[in-house]
Amino acid sequence: MHFLFFIFLFLFSCSGDLPRTPTKTQPEHIAIHFSIDSVSISGNLPKRQKTLSINEAWNGDKGRREWKIPQKPIKNAIVLSTTAIAFMEQLGVLDRIIAVENRNLIYSEKMQRLIDSLNIEEVGSGNTLDIETILMLKPDIVLTFGTGSAVY
């Protein structure tokens, strides 16, 4: 859970400015399952790209996965994990959610009101995920969860 909170805090607080100092960011508490690295990108102007590396996404998973972290602020998100909604509520960014997995699984009264007032879409999950709707919404990010199951 601390891992997800850190990721949301990082992603939703990005200002868009590229970092100029450390090449490796470590949280206050030592993380053993993930790291955030900043690597140089070649091109006309020197740039840095942040990469999130996860060593063990779920119990028993021994693979390493890497994702590029967007360098722009996230304006909208599709959230397929109710846990993420709780973190986003704490960060005060619920209004950035444009679609959710299933509103019946959401216990946040504030989120339920937003779903009604902003006409937030439901896009399903697993083998019922509505990929077409997700693509039409053009989210900046899709927040989901790992289970080890290929269906999810």
Side-chain angles (χ1 to χ4, degrees), residues 3-94:
F3 162 74
L4 277 175
F5 180 74
F6 179 78
I7 296 305
F8 291 123
L9 181 64
F10 178 81
L11 290 178
F12 283 97
S13 65
C14 286
S15 67
D17 297 333
L18 295 175
R20 298 177 191 253
T21 45
T23 58
K24 190 159 190 162
T25 304
Q26 288 295 331
E28 184 177 320
H29 302 285
I30 296 178
I32 58 174
H33 296 292
F34 76 96
S35 65
I36 297 175
D37 302 299
S38 183
V39 295
S40 295
I41 300 174
S42 59
N44 294 342
L45 298 172
K47 293 183 181 178
R48 300 197 68 76
Q49 172 69 55
K50 289 184 181 177
T51 303
L52 167 66
S53 300
I54 298 179
N55 298 321
E56 184 178 346
W58 53 84
N59 290 336
D61 174 38
K62 299 299 178 199
R64 179 180 173 91
R65 290 163 179 76
E66 294 184 352
W67 294 272
K68 291 180 182 173
I69 297 173
Q71 295 295 313
K72 63 178 188 165
I74 295 173
K75 296 178 184 163
N76 60 55
I78 293 178
V79 180
L80 304 177
S81 167
T82 56
T83 307
I85 290 171
F87 289 120
M88 291 177 74
E89 187 169 353
Q90 289 293 314
L91 293 170
V93 293
L94 283 180

